[in-house]
Amino acid sequence: MNQKEVIVTGGMGYIGSHTTVALQNAGYSVFILDNLSNSDIGVLDGIYRITGVRPGFKKLDCTDISGMRRVFEKHYNAVGVIHFAAHKAVGESVSNPLMYYRNNLNGLINVLDMMGTFDIPNLVFSSSATVYGQPDSLPVTEDTPLKPATSAYGQTKVMGENIIADAVRANPGIRATLLRYFNPIGAHPSGQIGERPNGVPNNLMPYICQVAAGQREYLNIFGNDYDTPDGYCVRDYLDINDLADAHVAAMRHLQSGGSGVNVYNLGTGRGQSVMQLVDAFQRATGVNIPYKITSRRAGDVSSIYANADRAARELNWRAVVPLHETLASAWRWQKKLAKSK
Ligand code: WQD
């Protein structure tokens, strides 16, 4: 058994696949658990083409406790778990909250249960800036008070953080790091892996890419009357490969010792408005993005961006990929996706 194995749940998804690449490049071996509910087995080939290594893989739903036990029994020597496996569509979680609570919370509880049973000490959890709601002041630090979540999806992230804190308090043999992501975008520069939205994309970047590819006529921009410098919503868009590297840094940091729960914001520290992102995409790719201004989207906060100084200080991690490279990688991946259809 490899002493540096990490179990990655949801490792076939957008963030999970890029993190698997980063882990393998850093010398870890990876065992992926994924139910393939929002991903494709071909992702393994993409990871192999980039790294020359095929990660271990088992098709499994984290809510299946007997299946989880069988896997963890074999992989009891793993140094840690990175838990991505979860549903993530905000709108769907509002119309089907029980599905979100059942899946996202049971999956996490089973992961913690198995880590306790098999003495696996290190957990990295995929949390979200959504836990801050609309903060009273910007940028957001990890000490910014959390606001009540506006969706069941957001609730599962807040509740997930609390479940982990309680589990770690009860079992000091487990230590955990909660990573609060801002808005990850882009793809691996090789064009081998990227985001594969199902149906009409909810998120801005894949929607822009589909407009650029001619799959959709125009982008709907949700509101231009926000209290922001140009009237458009502001977010902190970070490169997916930077985000993946943060997971490696977080796992290394956990392995170096300590106890309890760490929390880190992962963002660039810079806010970009929707219109600034559209302009930057046009400049980076040379492709025009037709758009229409429509009404605000329910639940959108007007502005949020990170103070990620703690991650810089403690994990030695910073977002470094320039935005134009991120946008070019997103477009490269979109063209590849369009060809493969
Ligand atoms: C970004 C900006 C929209 C689409 C959500 C979740 C978060 C995380 C990531 C999930 C906003 C605007 C968008 C479009 C637009 N979770 N927009 N037209 O809402 O910041 O975060 O996704 O995986 O928890 O809340 O990201 O990409 O949906 O929106 O104008 O067609 O783009 O209004 O200002 P968001 P997003």
Side-chain angles (χ1 to χ4, degrees):
M1 177 71 59
N2 190 309
Q3 286 302 309
K4 279 187 73 183
E5 183 176 64
V6 177
I7 297 172
V8 178
T9 75
M12 303 290 273
Y14 176 44
I15 306 177
S17 57
H18 290 80
T19 298
T20 297
V21 165
L23 285 165
Q24 292 191 163
N25 284 342
Y28 287 96
S29 74
V30 175
F31 193 83
I32 294 176
L33 300 179
D34 197 304
N35 67 2
L36 299 180
S37 65
N38 191 22
S39 55
D40 177 305
I41 192 76
V43 169
L44 288 177
D45 298 329
I47 295 169
Y48 176 73
R49 282 195 287 266
I50 297 168
T51 63
V53 179
R54 192 169 283 271
F57 169 69
K58 168 88 183 154
K59 182 171 185 240
L60 182 69
D61 193 311
C62 292
T63 64
D64 171 0
I65 185 69
S66 36
M68 289 285 276
R69 184 175 293 278
R70 281 194 293 276
V71 169
F72 276 76
E73 254 163 17
K74 285 203 195 114
H75 295 269
Y76 65 91
N77 254 333
V79 294
V81 180
I82 304 185
H83 182 54
F84 293 107
H87 294 320
K88 60 167 189 176
V90 175
E92 181 185 56
S93 82
V94 174
S95 49
N96 201 345
L98 298 186
M99 177 172 116
Y100 273 66
Y101 291 123
R102 182 178 293 123
N103 183 69
N104 293 9
L105 300 182
N106 283 337
L108 172 64
I109 290 166
N110 288 345
V111 165
L112 287 163
D113 195 353
M114 291 302 99
M115 289 178 69
T117 303
F118 294 101
D119 294 326
I120 298 177
N122 302 308
L123 173 66
V124 176
F125 177 63
S126 179
S127 189
S128 167
T130 193
V131 301
Y132 296 114
Q134 174 66 69
D136 294 329
S137 64
L138 291 169
V140 173
T141 74
E142 291 81 358
D143 299 322
T144 297
L146 306 192
K147 291 278 179 68
T150 53
S151 70
Y153 161 76
Q155 280 283 14
T156 67
K157 293 300 177 191
V158 176
M159 293 164 88
E161 290 195 357
N162 290 330
I163 289 169
I164 291 168
D166 287 345
V168 167
R169 212 170 290 126
N171 180 356
I174 299 178
R175 42 189 180 246
T177 293
L178 316 175
L179 299 179
R180 293 180 179 155
Y181 313 146
F182 283 68
N183 291 59
I185 60 171
H188 194 269
S190 65
Q192 296 292 346
I193 55 173
E195 189 172 9
R196 283 173 187 266
N198 247 339
V200 183
N202 297 308
N203 298 118
L204 178 60
M205 196 66 236
Y207 207 107
I208 290 177
C209 285
Q210 291 192 3
V211 172
Q215 285 169 245
R216 305 194 184 274
E217 218 181 314
Y218 55 86
L219 169 70
N220 292 297
I221 295 186
F222 301 141
N224 64 351
D225 56 353
Y226 282 95
D227 182 18
T228 58
D230 65 4
Y232 299 96
C233 279
V234 169
R235 296 287 183 274
D236 185 335
Y237 297 95
L238 82 155
D239 188 277
I240 186 69
N241 303 287
D242 279 336
L243 183 65
D245 287 342
H247 292 76
V248 176
M251 185 54 75
R252 280 201 183 118
H253 184 253
L254 282 171
Q255 287 180 267
S256 71
S259 62
V261 177
N262 315 294
V263 187
Y264 299 103
N265 285 339
L266 299 179
T268 64
R270 287 183 308 277
Q272 300 269 347
S273 77
V274 174
M275 191 55 81
Q276 285 175 320
L277 195 75
V278 170
D279 282 344
F281 183 89
Q282 296 183 140
R283 276 198 309 277
T285 63
V287 184
N288 182 46
I289 303 297
Y291 64 84
K292 287 189 183 168
I293 310 291
T294 63
S295 50
R296 293 180 177 197
R297 182 172 70 176
D300 269 343
V301 302
S302 81
S303 191
I304 184 163
Y305 51 95
N307 173 322
D309 291 351
R310 188 189 285 177
R313 228 173 22 247
E314 296 181 14
L315 301 179
N316 197 23
W317 174 89
R318 277 175 195 79
V320 293
V321 180
L323 182 62
H324 66 92
E325 274 179 28
T326 304
L327 297 169
S329 71
W331 177 224
R332 196 174 304 129
W333 168 248
Q334 177 63 42
K335 286 188 284 192
K336 172 152 182 183
L337 264 186
K339 251 194 241 156
S340 68
K341 274 187 183 142

